[in-house]
Each structure stands twice: as structure tokens, then as C-alpha cells.
Amino acid sequence: MGRIKKKGTSGATKNYITRSQAVRKLQISLPDFRRLCIFKGIYPREPRSKKRVSTSSTPSTTFYYTKDIQYLLHEPLLNKFRDQKALAKKISKALGRNEVSDAARFEKNLTPKLRLDHIIKERYPTFVDALRDLDDALSMLFLFANLPSTENVPPKIIAKCQRLTMEFEHYLIRTNSLRKSFLSIKGIYYQATIQGQDILWLVPYRFVQRTGGDVDFRIMATFVEFYTTLLSFVNFRLYTSIGLVYPPRFDAKSEEQGAELAAIQLEVQSGNADADMQDVTATQTNEKAQTEADRLLSLPDAEPSEEPQTNGDAAAEPVDGETETQDTSTTLDQFASLDPKADTLLQPSLTADASTASKLFESFTIFLSRETPRHPLEFILKAFGCKRVGWDTSLGEPGAYCSEDDKRITHQIVDRPDIPLPSPPLTDGEADMEDGEGGAVVRKSNERVPGRTYIQPQWVWDSINAGQLQRADLYAPGATLPPHLSPWVKAKRGEYDPTVPLAEQETAAEVEAAEAEEDEVDEEDADDALAEASEGEEIDGVRGDEEARALEDELEDEDGGMDVELAGSEDEEEDKPTDAAAGAADDDGDFGGFSDNEADADVDAATRAARDHQAELEAEATGKGVAAGKAGDKKKAAREVSQAKRTRAEREELEDVERRKMMMPRRKRKMYEKMVYSNARKDEEAEVLRAKKRKIEKGGGKKSKA
């Protein structure tokens, strides 16, 4: 009979250990255990089955690898934690004996200092590893740099975070390593490329921060302590790699006056005095490579040569009269897809990012108005080549390049409603009254300066994300800004892309549905117009009858209620016809009053004209309706034919797919159905977004026509 194994000595139970067991094994408190795990990068693990791993009747919730806890037994920080615990006991005893001075002396002289240098070297054996893990560090340090000082966040930590983050920003400005930025509701996202590694971090907006009570600042302070050490190492390596002295000189007085980035002054190392020359040489080389690449792209397509091309290692023979030179430009391959229905292949970019970033705002002198965010704009503009940035004195006096009235300013960034144009020139007498002692006319506040471009802050972000300057008129003060899109979100095939026109991404079914909807709307509009026309004609007819009756009443009132014979007698008295004529008229009996015949004729003519006008309107409306109905029937018939053809093709394709699915194994068939379902959900979402854009465009078109 084999030997019975003891429970918990083999299998999955041996590989995991609970948190309480780890604390007892290390003989430290739970807060110190948490700090140690954060410093060493050890996190809880989730086993497949907690019941099999747990040695107690109730399954525990937090497990660690046993090997990780065994690794912590040899950590030098354990001795520091034990020294802190012994010091805390001494201080408590001194305070118990009312020896306050001794307790203060113990805390000042005997407090052990924790050094995390060896942990940084253990966790990041190479510098590239440290750069890859810099995203969270920068986000945390920028967050604490913008927090107000409280009991949980002392001012020393805030000042240290501000200094380290500004040192990092100075390196990005010096090397033009910043690539993209995005304004979101959470804050401002930045992306930089350092030694081939893309680093993305988030900087909160500078609002008044209100810290809640549900935030555990002890855990966050532990991360900040580790990240400050990490960023100090990274900044030292970055500064020394470009020949700068680290740490740079920091002017506390200028920082108090609002200098911010200008408070840090960079110095070149004495042993590497030619570091700037190396940077200039590298920049010139990149410029030459970019110029050559642009020249190659501008050349017409040449016919393929019959001779084989030489490799890059083999040098071509120089032509007589020319010197042999080395071509530093690199021509990248262009990949073309053989299947026209396949996805478009991403082509390699020939643009030199560093040279493009260093020249984007190089020729501009930009002034920042007082309502704009100064620090992010100053950082981005300087990182993309602008050396001349000025701002209002309310934002901080030191470091400003120019004032608002400086004539060298080419662009002014404002975030306010439309700024009025300057007033017309004054006459001689008014100019004498307005001129100051120097003879210069005092410019009114909130008035544009001729020859200066006024733009909103979004123009800076959209320009750097696009890699080229955007149109300034689209970002004028008071103008409706274009949509600010994330530079990291790239629309895939079939998805909604707001940058592409709607006609290029609509499907055939969506186009037909939109046309059918437009035809229905047109028919409804035509019916409404016809109903309104008929109602108007009825109203006109009623009005015509009422006018006729009113005319009759007026004629009766003018007659004063007298008979027709009286009117005839008056006419007879005036005209005095002969007896023969009068007798003939009486014998015939046709003459019954001339005024009544005239009124009846006028009434009959008005009624007849109204009826004729109504008949013409009805005929015209009926004719148009018939024509529109015939055209609509033709469109419907053509649409039904195309829809039938498409439905037949779709039905055949579905049948083909079903036959193929029947030949698949069950596991692959389920996977394919899930994929089809997820793609259908994405297509529905894209269709909804395209429908919204279609309505917006139609609404804008109607407004513009109106």
C-alpha cells in the first residue's frame, strides 16, 4: 500500500498561498505587505478552482504564487520595515513618558530611508523595458502634479511630481519626440515616440480638484513613490543621451511667478560640448532624406528597366565627371493587393516624423490670450518647432516672448466669440485727440489687429494630428469647429468613418432605402400641396360668392330701395326720348331698368372669372399630380427590379454559405456563427450612424436652401 500524502503538499495547493499566510510568513504588517508587493510588482493571482487550492473549509478570496512570496523573503526592504516598526515603538514609549523632545529627536535622526534603486534595476533590466512601462507612471505623476495639497497629499510630493514632469516635457521639446495629442472629456492625451517606443499618457485639465473620501491615498502614495524613482532614472538616461546636465537648474523664484516650463534651464555637459552640433547634423541628414523622398514621389512613373536592379550593398559605377557618393535616402516598398475586393494594405510612410514636427510651427510667432490653457499650448507649440510663444501677463510674466501689441505676432489663439474688425481710420482732428505722447494710436481692447490670424485652440491639435497646417478660416473665432476626432481610432472596412463622404461608405440597400424614403416624402409633400391648393380654391370660391353678394347689397343700398321704374323715369326725364321710341319700348316690354342689368352683368363676370380660375388650378394640380405619380411609379418599378436582383444574389450567396457550413466541424461552425453575429452588430451600429449623418446633411441642405 502506498504512502498517504498529506493535504496541501502537492498539486495546485502547493503553487498558491493565501494573503494571511504570506503575511505570517514574512512577519510584517498588512500595509507593509501591500507596499512591498507594489514595489516588487507582485499581484494577486486567480486559480482555476479556489476549492481545490484552499486548505480551509471556506475558500479564500486572495491568492499569491508561492514562489513570489518565497522571493520576497530575501528583500532588503524587509529590514527597513522592521526598523520602522521598532522606531514606532520607541516613539510611542517616549510619548507615553511625556518625553516629546526625545520622540521628535528619534523621528528626525532614526527614521530609516527607503531606497528603491535596486528594485528599479531588477524590474527593468534594460532601458527599453522602462520605457514600455512608462505610461502608467506618467499618468499618475501628472495627476499628482495637478492635485491641491491636503493632509493626504503633502506639498513636497506635488512639487517633486511637477519638477519631474516638466523635466520630461523639456526633453520632448528638445528632441521633438511628441507625435499626437487628443482633447477628451477625461483630459489631454499625449503620445511620444522615444527610441522606437510609443508612450501614451493622460494629463488632467487644470480645474479645482475635489478629492473624495473613498480614495485610498496610501496605495496611491506608494505608487507615486515608486514612479518618481522610475522617472528620475529615465530622465537621467534621456538627458545624458543628448548631452545635457541632469538634474537641470531649477529656478524656484521664477516658478512662483508663473514661469512653469521657463523655470527649468537646460545646460550642456562640459565633456559633450558638441552635442548640439550632433543634433544639428542629425536634423540636416533627416531633412536631406525627406527632400530626396519628396523628389522621388514627385517624379513620373518610370517604365521598368530590363536590367536587374543592384542590391543596396553593391555600389553602382559612377558616371564620368561625377564623384562617387553614398545615397542616404531610403525608398520604401509599396504593397499592392491582387484582389480588388480585399482590404487596403497599409503603406509605409516616407515622412520623417522628427523633421516634420520640428518645422510645423517654426515660422510662426504665436500669442496666447488669457482665456486659453497656457501650459498645454506652450508645451505643444514648442514641441512642434515654435520658438516664439507669448501670453498675457495675467498668465505669468516670466518667459513670455512678446506682448499682445507686438507687431511680430503672426497668429493669436483665442477662445471667445467673434472679435470685431478694427474701426475705420480717424480723421486728422480725431487722430490728434486720440494720439498719445509717442504719436501712436491706442488700440481698443477686444479688437482685431490687421495682418494677424485669429484661431481657436483646436487648430493646434488638429494640425499636429494631421501632420500639416489646417485651414485657419475653419477655426476662426465664433465659427462652428470641425469634429475633433481621436488620432488613434482608425475605421475598418464596413465601419462608419466620419472623415469619408457618405456616398463612399453607403451600401446599395441603404441607398435604395434612402431613395424610397425621399420619394415617400416627396409624395406626401405633393399631396399636402394639392390639398392646400384645393382648400385655397374653395376659399377663393366662397370669397367670390361673398363678394358678389356684397356687391349686390351695395347696389341695392345705392338705389335706396327704389324700384327699377323710378330709375327708368329719371333716365327718361334726363334723356327725354321721343314718343315713338317710348311707345316702341313700352310695347316690347324689354326695357326694365338699365342699372339692374349692369349690376347683374358685373356679378356674373366676377363669378365666372372665379370659377374659371378654380377650374384652371384644379386642372393644373391634377396634371402635375398625374405626372409625378407616373414618375414615382417608374422609380418604384426600377427599384423593385434592382431589389429583386439583389435579393436573388443574396439568396444564392446564403445558400452557398449554408452548404459550406454543413461541411464544417461543430466547433468551427459555432465560432463562425459568433463571428457573423458580431459583424452584424457592428454593421447595424455603422448603419445607424450613417443614417444620423444623412439626416444631418439633409437638414443642413434644407436650411441652406431656405
Side-chain angles (χ1 to χ4, degrees):
M1 183 177 178
R3 189 174 181 180
I4 299 176
K5 292 184 179 180
K6 187 178 180 180
K7 185 179 180 181
T9 57
S10 62
T13 307
K14 186 179 179 181
N15 297 332
Y16 293 92
I17 186 174
T18 62
R19 186 178 64 181
S20 57
Q21 292 175 351
V23 170
R24 287 197 301 267
K25 190 171 186 177
L26 296 175
Q27 297 181 2
I28 56 176
S29 62
L30 183 59
D32 291 339
F33 175 74
R34 288 174 177 169
R35 291 184 66 192
L36 187 61
C37 289
I38 291 173
F39 290 153
K40 300 290 289 186
I42 296 175
Y43 301 97
R45 306 294 179 175
E46 186 71 18
R48 292 185 177 179
S49 177
K50 289 186 176 182
K51 293 183 178 180
R52 294 182 180 180
V53 172
S54 179
T55 57
S56 59
S57 58
T58 55
S60 302
T61 56
T62 306
F63 289 92
Y64 292 87
Y65 281 143
T66 306
K67 291 184 178 181
D68 292 341
I69 303 302
Q70 194 75 20
Y71 175 66
L72 292 178
L73 288 173
H74 308 284
E75 176 57 42
L77 290 179
L78 287 176
N79 297 329
K80 298 292 183 180
F81 291 155
R82 295 185 181 114
D83 294 342
Q84 288 180 349
K85 188 175 182 180
L87 177 63
K89 289 182 179 180
K90 288 184 180 181
I91 293 175
S92 62
K93 287 181 180 179
L95 293 176
R97 293 192 296 265
N98 201 14
E99 297 175 354
V100 181
S101 60
D102 293 342
R105 180 170 51 83
F106 291 157
E107 185 178 3
K108 181 179 180 181
N109 299 330
L110 300 181
T111 301
K113 296 182 180 180
L114 300 180
R115 296 186 62 87
L116 307 178
D117 303 351
H118 64 284
I119 297 180
I120 299 296
K121 296 177 182 179
E122 289 175 2
R123 292 185 61 176
Y124 309 107
T126 62
F127 185 63
V128 176
D129 296 333
L131 293 177
R132 290 172 181 169
D133 200 22
L134 206 60
D135 298 352
D136 296 335
L138 290 174
S139 299
M140 180 68 75
L141 294 182
F142 273 102
L143 172 62
F144 268 74
N146 294 316
L147 287 180
S149 60
T150 58
E151 297 179 356
N152 299 321
V153 185
K156 291 183 179 180
I157 294 180
I158 298 176
K160 188 175 183 180
C161 294
Q162 290 177 352
R163 181 177 58 83
L164 290 174
T165 52
M166 283 193 293
E167 290 173 359
F168 183 74
E169 288 178 346
H170 266 287
Y171 171 79
L172 299 179
I173 293 173
R174 186 67 174 247
T175 58
N176 303 113
S177 300
L178 191 65
R179 293 292 174 266
K180 299 176 183 178
S181 182
F182 176 65
L183 300 170
S184 71
I185 192 173
K186 297 180 180 179
I188 305 176
Y189 285 92
Y190 296 97
Q191 182 181 2
T193 303
I194 302 175
Q195 297 187 8
Q197 300 297 323
D198 293 334
I199 304 171
L200 179 67
W201 70 95
L202 175 65
V203 179
Y205 295 112
R206 291 197 171 183
F207 296 143
V208 178
Q209 303 288 342
R210 296 182 179 179
T211 57
D214 56 343
V215 179
D216 192 352
F217 280 95
R218 295 179 301 174
I219 302 296
M220 297 181 70
T222 305
F223 277 102
V224 169
E225 185 178 359
F226 176 75
Y227 287 150
T228 51
T229 308
L230 172 61
L231 190 57
S232 299
F233 272 89
V234 172
N235 286 346
F236 171 78
R237 180 67 179 270
L238 294 176
Y239 272 62
T240 54
S241 64
I242 59 176
L244 297 179
V245 176
Y246 188 83
R249 186 184 303 174
F250 182 77
D251 192 352
K253 186 176 180 180
S254 299
E255 172 64 21
E256 293 177 359
Q257 296 177 358
E260 294 187 358
L261 286 174
I264 295 180
Q265 301 175 3
L266 305 181
E267 298 178 358
V268 181
Q269 293 180 358
S270 58
N272 296 327
D274 57 342
D276 292 338
M277 294 300 298
Q278 294 177 1
D279 296 340
V280 171
T281 304
T283 304
Q284 292 177 353
T285 305
N286 293 333
E287 292 177 0
K288 291 180 180 179
Q290 176 65 19
T291 305
E292 183 67 18
D294 295 340
R295 187 185 65 82
L296 292 175
L297 289 176
S298 62
L299 291 176
D301 297 335
E303 298 180 357
S305 177
E306 299 179 356
E307 299 179 359
Q309 298 180 356
T310 58
N311 296 329
D313 298 335
E317 296 181 359
V319 186
D320 296 338
E322 296 183 358
T323 58
E324 183 178 357
T325 58
Q326 182 179 1
D327 188 8
T328 58
S329 62
T330 303
T331 303
L332 301 180
D333 297 333
Q334 301 294 323
F335 301 96
S337 178
L338 299 178
D339 188 2
K341 297 182 180 180
D343 296 339
T344 304
L345 298 176
L346 294 176
Q347 304 297 335
S349 178
L350 285 173
T351 58
D353 293 336
S355 61
T356 303
S358 62
K359 291 183 177 181
L360 193 60
F361 305 116
E362 184 179 9
S363 59
F364 298 154
T365 301
I366 300 178
F367 183 83
L368 310 178
S369 299
R370 62 179 181 273
E371 71 274 3
T372 57
R374 174 199 153 188
H375 184 80
L377 283 173
E378 180 189 4
F379 168 58
I380 287 182
L381 291 172
K382 290 184 176 180
F384 281 84
C386 185
K387 301 293 190 301
R388 301 172 296 277
V389 182
W391 51 79
D392 193 80
T393 54
S394 60
L395 302 178
E397 181 66 25
Y401 178 77
C402 55
S403 61
E404 187 174 1
D405 297 331
D406 199 325
K407 296 182 179 180
R408 297 173 295 178
I409 297 174
T410 59
H411 292 71
Q412 182 170 349
I413 301 177
V414 297
D415 194 5
R416 62 182 74 171
D418 191 13
I419 303 176
L421 295 173
S423 56
L426 303 177
T427 60
D428 296 338
E430 295 177 351
D432 294 338
M433 295 175 61
E434 295 290 337
D435 287 351
E437 297 179 357
V441 179
V442 179
R443 186 178 64 86
K444 296 181 180 180
S445 59
N446 196 21
E447 189 178 86
R448 293 197 182 190
V449 178
R452 183 181 301 180
T453 303
Y454 287 83
I455 46 179
Q456 298 190 43
Q458 186 181 331
W459 176 79
V460 179
W461 273 270
D462 291 349
S463 296
I464 66 174
N465 291 335
Q468 59 184 358
L469 298 176
Q470 301 297 303
R471 289 174 50 187
D473 58 334
L474 300 178
Y475 301 86
T480 302
L481 295 174
H484 182 58
L485 305 176
S486 174
W488 298 286
V489 177
K490 302 298 182 184
K492 299 179 181 178
R493 185 177 181 181
E495 295 182 356
Y496 172 71
D497 189 0
T499 60
V500 178
L502 189 62
E504 297 182 6
Q505 51 182 334
E506 278 185 322
T507 60
E510 293 178 3
V511 173
E512 292 181 359
E515 291 178 354
E517 185 178 356
E518 289 179 0
D519 293 342
E520 292 177 0
V521 172
D522 293 340
E523 290 177 0
E524 292 178 358
D525 294 342
D527 295 340
D528 295 341
L530 181 60
E532 291 178 359
S534 60
E535 290 177 0
E537 291 168 1
E538 291 177 359
I539 293 172
D540 293 339
V542 173
R543 288 179 180 175
D545 296 340
E546 292 178 353
E547 290 177 357
R549 295 192 189 97
L551 183 61
E552 292 177 358
D553 295 340
E554 289 179 359
L555 293 175
E556 290 179 358
D557 293 341
E558 289 179 357
D559 294 340
M562 297 179 69
D563 295 335
V564 178
E565 293 179 356
L566 294 177
S569 63
E570 291 179 358
D571 295 334
E572 287 177 358
E573 290 178 356
E574 293 178 359
D575 296 335
K576 291 183 180 180
T578 59
D579 295 337
D586 293 333
D587 294 337
D588 294 336
D590 296 330
F591 186 78
F594 189 73
S595 62
D596 287 343
N597 291 336
E598 288 182 349
D600 293 336
D602 294 336
V603 171
D604 294 337
T607 305
R608 193 181 305 107
R611 290 176 180 175
D612 294 339
H613 180 64
Q614 181 178 0
E616 290 176 2
L617 291 176
E618 289 179 357
E620 184 178 1
T622 305
K624 285 189 176 181
V626 171
K630 291 181 179 179
D633 294 340
K634 290 182 180 180
K635 289 183 179 180
K636 288 182 181 179
R639 192 182 305 112
E640 289 176 358
V641 171
S642 62
Q643 186 175 3
K645 291 181 180 179
R646 192 181 69 255
T647 306
R648 191 183 306 111
E650 291 178 354
R651 192 186 312 113
E652 294 177 356
E653 185 177 357
L654 287 176
E655 292 176 357
D656 189 14
V657 170
E658 290 296 333
R659 286 193 297 270
R660 293 183 180 182
K661 285 172 59 178
M662 292 175 61
M663 303 300 294
M664 290 183 180
R666 182 175 178 276
R667 181 168 173 270
K668 292 185 178 180
R669 185 168 63 251
K670 294 293 183 183
M671 187 182 302
Y672 175 77
E673 291 175 355
K674 288 182 179 179
M675 182 183 67
V676 171
Y677 175 76
S678 61
N679 291 339
R681 291 289 300 274
K682 293 180 181 178
D683 293 341
E684 290 177 0
E685 295 176 358
E687 185 176 354
V688 170
L689 293 175
R690 286 193 289 266
K692 289 182 179 179
K693 186 174 182 179
R694 190 183 304 109
K695 291 181 180 179
I696 292 173
E697 291 181 353
K698 288 181 181 178
K702 290 180 180 179
K703 290 181 181 179
S704 62
K705 290 179 181 178

